[in-house]
Amino acid sequence: MSRENRERYDFKQIEPKWQQIWAEQQLYTVPDLSDKPKYYCLEMFPYPSGKLHMGHVRNYSIGDVVARFKTMQGYHVLHPMGWDAFGLPAENAAIKHGNIHPADWTYQNIATMRAQLKQLGISYDWQREIATCHPAYYKWTQWLFLQLYKHGLAYKKKAAVNWCPSCATVLANEQVKEGACERCKTAVEKRELEQWFFAITRYADRLLQDLELLTGWPEKVKIMQENWIGRSEGAEVSFAVEGREEKITVFTTRPDTLYGVTYMVLAPEHPLVEKLIEGNPRAEEIRQFIRQVRSLSEIARTATDTEKIGYPTGAYCINPLSGERVPVLVANYVLLEYGTGAVMGVPAHDQRDFEFARKYNLPIKVVIQPPGQQLDPDSMDCAYADEGVMVNSGPFSGLPNRQGLLAVIRHLEEQGLGRGVVNYRLRDWLISRQRYWGAPIPIIYCDRCGVVPVPEGDLPVLLPYEVQFKPTGQSPLADCPEFVHTTCPQCGAPARRETDTMDTFMCSSWYYFRYVTPRLEEACWDKEKVAHWLPVDQYIGGVEHAILHLLYSRFFTKFLYDIGLVQTTEPFTNLLTQGMVLKDGAKMSKSKGNVVSPEEIVDTYGADTARLFILFAAPPERDLEWSDQGVEGCARFLNRVWRLVTALAGELPAPGTAPAAQLAGINRQMHRITHQTIKKVTEDIGHRFNFNTAVSAIMEMVNALYQYKEAPACDRDPGVLRSAVDSLLLLLAPFAPHITEELWQLTGHSGSIHRQPWPAWDEAAVQEDEVTIVVQLNGKIRDRLLVPAGLSAGQLQETVLAQEKVQKLLAGKQVLKVIAVPGKLVNIVVK
């Protein structure tokens, strides 16, 4: 090897070389079944937006370290990749440019991003690649829709939706920020549309209860899901409307405060509002207010700092317990989607109600008194929401309110005035999208037969290629007669297809099952093989998907379990949510102009450097601040490894040469450092995912090897040297797969380093011969001593007290007590 080649790692020649060899040897192609224990490692698949960004590189580098590590530990590892390929950006590109079809745009981007992933050396089994926009995939998305429909979990109803007039599509609540579309910043409108829903609320209790099973998930993610589901126990109570047959039903978690209701508030969308304001002189003003409110997002309406505005309808309802007349208002903070769209106002015991009542001069009635106090409604400056004794509550007065709460529910049920119920914040999943680039909903409408599901044998319902993309707010499918017009599969009469497509969350809610048998044509997956591989052992992705994607995936898995298609009730055993990649303190984005291109980094420094930096710079769960100096430092480190190993390669003994049975001096020290590093890196990857500290330990081992190399060759044990160099390469291999593969061959090995067993440490070799302990006098550090490792407390005390320096410190002092902590410190208490 030339001097230049020994001095520098030529990544531009070496990395493509090994990528080609791995592909030719199909090194990462995984057989379906094996006698080895299985391990399914999965990163959330990307949307093919054009090119990878550094967030992608971080996600996939983390997953690749785990997959390579587990493979070397002897597991049968499934590590696939695919594309979440349907979605709005592709269609918007078609509308904007007019000369590129969403399918063409998507497949071009997939080709680009696939090439980038291969350039990074990620160990994916590319024979399992899927794209959710391919008919062979969305055929089964449609099939799963039909299973949900067959079991009564897919249904259609009219609903108010967030509508972006610019993107011309329905938006989820999470896509509306401060009343505007998250993507284009256009003000969002409310529209009434016939929409398809999945009844996820039927699974609410199981989704909530089974969070306890997810011991491998971050606690913050489980809390986010728990809050999103939002289970609450209480009562549904009916208030008769004065002079009308209708009743207003409310849900309350505080039926113990029913006697304190002094007003009723309806959501602007409540169907009774228009009837109640008839004849009201301010009716047109109220209608204008309702139009304004309906254009706001849920978040804007319910935010704590949003001013609460209400209008009296002029109507009254009757408190079913007290018989009192209660004014009915309409207000901006009540939502039709939550509860019943009506809220009873109890201003004495709810702070929001208290502020609203003070603003509009509504009565305040105390029905819960705190122990030993007497609240005066006229002098209260805030609501009292804690526990106490019921007062002014008819037959329930004098009861502790927790006891009274249950008594009130029993009374309501006995009198037919209400019932105890469990309510949820979770709403059914709206899946309809008025767009082209999504999986068509497999439903046909027949004037004779009504709603007819497409027969399973007729799937997939294909997206037509020849369509016109217009910013009209209507799916291009609706303007495609060849798609719309069909025949009814039941009666043969002319019929029309559903022109809505499915929410892309539908595609990503089951993709991890399809990877198991991605080319299977006769079924969604092979049940036996899915039973072998699922659940996913380690799932990795951004915390921004902590609620919807993960919740929908859990719902799908439970449904599939219920109908006998899978044998697991949870899809992901362990979850790692990595932080964002920042630059100059902000998330990388094109709009901020702070984007660092992965292609640029790989071209300048190589894939191994890009991977190593992204793993070394911060623990995976924390945000990572980009640093050009950090990247350069990782490049320098890899070149240090290259120089070290190429310099030692000529004097290494044959592979497998063991260290001498008895080691001393520098050989014993190098042997110990090798095994300490193996232990540290193994535990950091396998138990803690502390990739940054694992890399740091490898760097320290390289420093130790450089020192060892400086010793005369005749003083170095050949087996220690061989073990140290081999262990270094094996430990570094998951992080920097190309350079280690090349050096593995240069040091006399055959076969890929990535198919070698992970090194094991010898616990006896790990133990230090000597340890540094602290000497304290009355708790203050006075000295540090190097003492033999393994001394007992008594031996440690005896050794320290015998030291000349310690005896000088104790001269003229009375020793009251000696506290010895083996391996750490000795504290001498004197006076």
Side-chain angles (χ1 to χ4, degrees):
M1 182 181 292
S2 69
R3 178 178 177 83
E4 180 184 359
N5 287 341
R6 286 201 306 270
E7 291 295 318
R8 186 174 63 86
Y9 167 51
D10 186 2
F11 65 85
K12 289 194 174 182
Q13 185 271 326
I14 291 171
E15 291 182 352
K17 164 190 163 182
W18 283 109
Q19 289 162 15
Q20 182 177 348
I21 292 172
W22 295 336
E24 290 171 353
Q25 295 179 349
Q26 297 187 350
L27 189 69
Y28 304 123
T29 300
V30 181
D32 290 333
L33 301 173
S34 168
D35 294 334
K36 297 178 181 179
K38 72 93 179 178
Y39 192 89
Y40 191 169
C41 179
L42 183 64
E43 302 98 66
M44 295 179 184
F45 64 172
Y47 177 75
S49 56
K51 290 186 177 181
L52 296 178
H53 55 68
M54 278 300 171
H56 289 131
V57 175
R58 191 180 196 195
N59 189 14
Y60 306 140
S61 296
I62 290 170
D64 199 42
V65 168
V66 175
R68 291 180 181 277
F69 171 72
K70 287 295 182 181
T71 299
M72 295 173 76
Q73 281 195 316
Y75 286 86
H76 182 215
V77 176
L78 179 62
H79 189 211
M81 176 48 66
W83 312 97
D84 193 8
F86 277 135
L88 191 58
E91 193 163 346
N92 282 347
I95 294 171
K96 181 178 179 180
H97 301 295
N99 61 349
I100 184 165
H101 194 279
D104 301 333
W105 186 86
T106 299
Y107 283 113
Q108 288 172 17
N109 291 344
I110 286 174
T112 299
M113 294 174 74
R114 183 194 301 115
Q116 286 184 292
L117 288 172
K118 290 182 176 181
Q119 190 180 34
L120 285 167
I122 309 292
S123 60
Y124 293 131
D125 180 353
W126 284 107
Q127 293 191 15
R128 296 177 185 270
E129 180 183 8
I130 58 174
T132 60
C133 65
H134 194 284
Y137 184 91
Y138 71 73
K139 168 185 178 177
W140 299 108
T141 302
Q142 294 171 341
W143 183 84
L144 289 168
F145 174 95
L146 294 178
Q147 307 316 301
L148 287 156
Y149 182 83
K150 184 189 305 182
H151 288 83
L153 292 169
Y155 66 94
K156 196 173 190 182
K157 71 172 183 178
K158 181 169 283 190
V161 296
N162 301 311
W163 178 263
C164 174
S166 176
C167 295
T169 194
V170 171
L171 302 178
N173 288 333
E174 295 70 34
Q175 296 170 304
V176 180
K177 305 295 183 185
E178 298 179 352
C181 174
E182 180 182 38
R183 181 177 297 277
C184 70
K185 312 307 178 190
T186 303
V188 170
E189 304 169 356
K190 287 286 185 180
R191 287 193 181 181
E192 290 280 340
L193 293 176
E194 285 280 341
Q195 304 281 286
W196 282 95
F197 290 82
F198 289 156
I200 189 174
T201 51
R202 296 194 203 169
Y203 282 76
D205 265 335
R206 286 170 63 187
L207 290 167
L208 189 62
Q209 292 165 3
D210 287 358
L211 287 172
E212 297 178 4
L213 304 176
L214 302 177
T215 55
W217 283 38
E219 198 60 32
K220 66 177 180 180
V221 173
K222 293 195 285 185
I223 291 171
M224 290 166 73
Q225 290 217 353
E226 182 178 351
N227 292 339
W228 188 259
I229 296 167
R231 185 182 193 275
S232 54
E233 296 182 10
E236 236 176 40
V237 189
S238 295
F239 287 66
V241 179
E242 189 176 65
R244 307 185 70 93
E245 293 183 1
E246 293 94 347
K247 293 184 177 181
I248 297 173
T249 301
V250 299
F251 170 79
T252 177
T253 59
R254 294 293 306 274
D256 53 321
T257 65
L258 267 166
Y259 281 87
V261 175
T262 61
Y263 63 92
M264 179 70 65
V265 183
L266 301 182
E269 302 90 346
H270 197 288
L272 263 182
V273 170
E274 185 58 38
K275 297 179 181 178
L276 297 184
I277 63 174
E278 287 179 6
N280 188 322
R282 301 178 66 186
E284 194 49 48
E285 182 183 351
I286 295 172
R287 292 187 183 102
Q288 177 61 28
F289 164 73
I290 291 171
R291 285 192 289 270
Q292 291 173 349
V293 172
R294 285 169 64 92
S295 69
L296 300 176
S297 72
E298 171 190 329
I299 295 172
R301 285 170 62 174
T302 57
T304 54
D305 57 351
T306 299
E307 182 185 5
K308 308 301 185 281
I309 301 173
Y311 282 84
T313 63
Y316 286 80
C317 60
I318 307 301
N319 187 316
L321 295 186
S322 68
E324 295 175 349
R325 299 173 75 236
V326 175
V328 180
L329 295 88
V330 57
N332 60 343
Y333 65 87
V334 182
L335 302 172
L336 185 64
E337 291 84 3
Y338 293 109
T340 63
V343 172
M344 63 186 207
V346 187
H349 305 292
D350 181 276
Q351 187 61 28
R352 182 187 62 183
D353 295 351
F354 180 87
E355 294 170 2
F356 192 80
R358 284 279 192 251
K359 178 178 180 179
Y360 290 106
N361 199 29
L362 295 164
I364 297 175
K365 181 181 178 182
V366 173
V367 293
I368 307 288
Q369 288 285 10
Q373 295 183 44
Q374 290 292 319
L375 296 177
D376 179 3
D378 296 329
S379 61
M380 290 174 68
D381 57 7
C382 65
Y384 178 74
D386 294 332
E387 296 186 10
V389 177
M390 295 178 68
V391 297
N392 303 318
S393 298
F396 307 101
S397 295
L399 289 176
N401 73 296
R402 285 292 157 198
Q403 180 182 341
L405 184 149
L406 299 175
V408 169
I409 292 176
R410 283 197 301 270
H411 177 77
L412 290 169
E413 291 178 338
E414 290 168 358
Q415 300 299 316
L417 302 172
R419 62 191 180 98
V421 297
V422 175
N423 208 355
Y424 299 91
R425 182 181 182 273
L426 179 68
R427 300 292 95 188
D428 277 348
W429 175 8
L430 167 60
I431 68 151
S432 291
R433 295 294 181 267
Q434 291 69 43
R435 303 299 299 209
Y436 163 78
W437 194 234
I441 295 175
I443 290 292
I444 292 171
Y445 300 101
C446 172
D447 290 338
R448 296 180 186 174
C449 305
V451 178
V452 181
V454 172
E456 293 179 8
D458 291 348
L459 298 179
V461 177
L462 291 170
L463 279 172
Y465 187 85
E466 299 296 336
V467 292
Q468 296 295 315
F469 298 98
K470 305 172 185 176
T472 60
Q474 183 170 264
S475 169
L477 295 175
D479 293 327
C480 181
E482 296 82 1
F483 178 83
V484 175
H485 300 309
T486 185
T487 56
C488 174
Q490 290 185 1
C491 70
R496 60 195 182 280
R497 293 191 186 278
E498 171 64 73
T499 58
D500 282 358
T501 54
M502 293 186 231
D503 176 14
T504 55
F505 276 122
M506 172 78 175
C507 306
S508 60
S509 292
W510 69 276
Y511 76 107
Y512 40 91
F513 292 112
R514 186 64 179 172
Y515 279 137
V516 174
T517 47
R519 304 293 173 259
L520 191 63
E521 295 182 3
E522 63 272 16
C524 206
W525 51 73
D526 182 296
K527 290 169 66 174
E528 180 184 352
K529 292 174 182 176
V530 161
H532 169 75
W533 282 111
L534 271 292
V536 172
D537 294 278
Q538 184 63 60
Y539 199 35
I540 303 164
V543 74
E544 65 270 20
H545 301 297
I547 297 177
L548 295 184
H549 163 59
L550 292 175
L551 192 67
Y552 293 155
S553 297
R554 294 181 62 221
F555 161 61
F556 251 74
T557 303
K558 292 181 188 303
F559 166 68
L560 295 170
Y561 174 83
D562 288 349
I563 63 174
L565 288 178
V566 302
Q567 295 181 22
T568 180
T569 60
E570 288 289 342
F572 314 119
T573 301
N574 297 290
L575 174 68
L576 174 65
T577 53
Q578 90 276 1
M580 294 185 296
V581 179
L582 310 176
K583 192 170 190 295
D584 304 323
K587 181 181 179 180
M588 287 188 184
S589 71
K590 292 178 182 177
S591 62
K592 293 187 177 72
N594 64 348
V595 173
V596 175
S597 164
E599 286 181 311
E600 178 185 342
I601 298 301
V602 170
D603 186 61
T604 306
Y605 298 101
D608 282 354
T609 293
R611 293 164 56 113
L612 193 68
F613 168 74
I614 215 86
L615 294 162
F616 175 59
E621 70 278 4
R622 295 185 186 173
D623 291 343
L624 180 155
E625 180 66 37
W626 184 263
S627 165
D628 293 336
Q629 293 78 16
V631 177
E632 292 167 3
C634 287
R636 287 195 299 272
F637 168 70
L638 289 179
N639 277 289
R640 286 193 79 217
V641 172
W642 180 264
R643 289 193 298 271
L644 173 68
V645 177
T646 54
L648 291 171
E651 62 179 274
L652 289 173
T657 302
Q662 298 296 323
L663 297 172
I666 60 170
N667 292 309
R668 184 174 176 83
Q669 181 183 11
M670 190 67 241
H671 187 62
R672 180 171 58 249
I673 290 171
T674 297
H675 284 265
Q676 287 175 337
T677 308
I678 294 171
K679 181 177 182 180
K680 171 71 172 167
V681 174
T682 303
E683 292 178 345
D684 279 353
I685 298 177
H687 302 315
R688 295 183 287 270
F689 286 165
N690 287 352
F691 306 119
N692 57 320
T693 55
V695 172
S696 180
I698 294 171
M699 290 176 171
E700 291 175 9
M701 181 182 178
V702 169
N703 291 337
L705 255 173
Y706 264 101
Q707 289 182 329
Y708 186 62
K709 171 178 170 289
E710 295 307 310
C714 59
D715 292 342
R716 298 198 301 257
D717 180 87
V720 168
L721 183 62
R722 168 56 81 174
S723 172
V725 170
D726 286 357
S727 297
L728 167 65
L729 296 178
L730 290 165
L731 296 176
L732 187 58
F735 299 92
H738 306 89
I739 188 173
T740 51
E741 187 78 283
E742 181 74 10
L743 290 173
W744 189 250
Q745 309 303 315
L746 288 176
T747 54
H749 292 282
S750 60
S752 172
I753 191 173
H754 304 297
R755 288 297 176 264
Q756 305 307 311
W758 185 257
W761 72 87
D762 179 350
E763 194 62 44
V766 166
Q767 302 305 313
E768 295 278 359
D769 294 329
E770 296 180 314
V771 293
T772 300
I773 61 105
V774 170
V775 178
Q776 296 177 335
L777 213 60
N778 291 340
K780 293 184 178 179
I781 297 175
R782 293 303 181 90
D783 200 6
R784 286 182 171 82
L785 296 176
L786 199 62
V787 300
L791 292 181
S792 67
Q795 291 170 327
L796 180 59
Q797 176 180 327
E798 182 180 343
T799 301
V800 169
L801 292 177
Q803 299 295 315
E804 183 179 348
K805 185 173 181 180
V806 173
Q807 289 178 354
K808 289 181 180 179
L809 290 170
L810 297 177
K813 297 180 175 66
Q814 180 184 354
V815 177
L816 301 178
K817 184 168 57 173
V818 179
I819 303 168
V821 181
K824 293 187 177 180
L825 62 84
V826 171
N827 182 27
I828 307 168
V829 182
V830 300
K831 72 171 183 177

